[in-house]
Amino acid sequence: MTTSFASALTAAHDAAASQHYPQGALYVVATPIGNLADISLRALHVLKTVDCIACEDTRHTQGMLRSYGLERPGNQMLAVHQHNEAEAAQQVIERLQQGQRIAYVSDAGTPGVSDPGARLCAALQAVGLRSIPLPGASSVTSAISVAGAVTPAQGESGFVFAGFLPTKNAERLSAVQKLAGESRCTVLLEAPHRIIDMAQALATLGARPVTLAREITKQFEDIATMPASELAAWLQASPQRVKGEFAIVLHPVAVPQESGEAERVLKLLLVELPTKTAVKLAAEITGTGRNTLYERALELKREADSN
């Protein structure tokens, strides 16, 4: 065990041991995305006390547990990853039906967002078993928190998590074209060997601001904001910049203050075209967000039907 975590285990017991931990439940535990100190006290307590730990990679998770002084014997570890998630879920279900408590962790961050875990929780729901979240580190929310992108003044509120783009060039470009029509803040993830390809595809978004967050919480963390058209050149300017794991935030498209013209165009198009096509064209013509126009189109149709 790393000696610095000995006191953390004591603190975890003092803070969390008195809480209720139902039997026959899966504890979905967020783990650090780089800095081991980002583990929560409740997560440490649960990882210490559950009957079994299901995980994306048993070797990786054993290494993390060892750092905290929580290493488990092999028969208390269960591999549940993207290639066996459906099948392994049955093993988890059987153990939970016996009254065991099981923790599930991915290799890093919050399970079920981009990492495996969603199918496992869905399988448990189908048979009436409980999944209990233990929140913590996430590259998605960490990147958003420092990007300054989710503000009503900059566009529509909220954000979209798009995850990893397709690996093939044509499909990737097609995906980026669809993102161009999304006026809300959008979060992407990418691996180091594909980051240049992604940046070149995002260049088609022109001046739209993007925030690139590399190696979040780690020693060489790097966060920078720039126009999408400049991202590829910025990455290629230094070999260090293309190393590590990436979260990319596409800032929202500014919504024009004057909406009268957008509604006028939308009304004209709705007369001749299906709703989705009319909204798409109105967004391209006026620069107004598709979601805003779609909601207005539905309102207009409801108004027409009621008359």
Side-chain angles (χ1 to χ4, degrees), residues 17-89:
S18 61
Q19 299 175 20
H20 179 53
Y21 299 93
Q23 291 181 297
L26 179 75
Y27 294 83
V28 181
V29 183
T31 55
I33 56 177
N35 192 318
L36 287 171
D38 288 338
I39 193 78
S40 73
L41 294 178
R42 192 158 67 110
L44 286 175
H45 180 73
V46 165
L47 291 173
K48 181 178 181 179
T49 57
V50 292
D51 300 291
C52 175
I53 296 178
C55 55
E56 189 175 358
D57 183 325
T58 56
R59 291 172 297 179
H60 177 91
T61 299
Q62 280 285 30
M64 179 194 69
L65 294 173
R66 191 177 303 116
S67 298
Y68 298 128
L70 299 175
E71 188 172 7
R72 292 293 188 111
N75 62 357
Q76 293 181 10
M77 302 289 291
L78 181 62
V80 182
H81 47 74
Q82 63 176 339
H83 302 296
N84 78 340
E85 198 169 359
E87 297 81 3

Side-chain angles (χ1 to χ4, degrees), residues 80 150 165 212 285:
V80 182
V150 186
L165 293 182
L212 179 141
I285 293 169

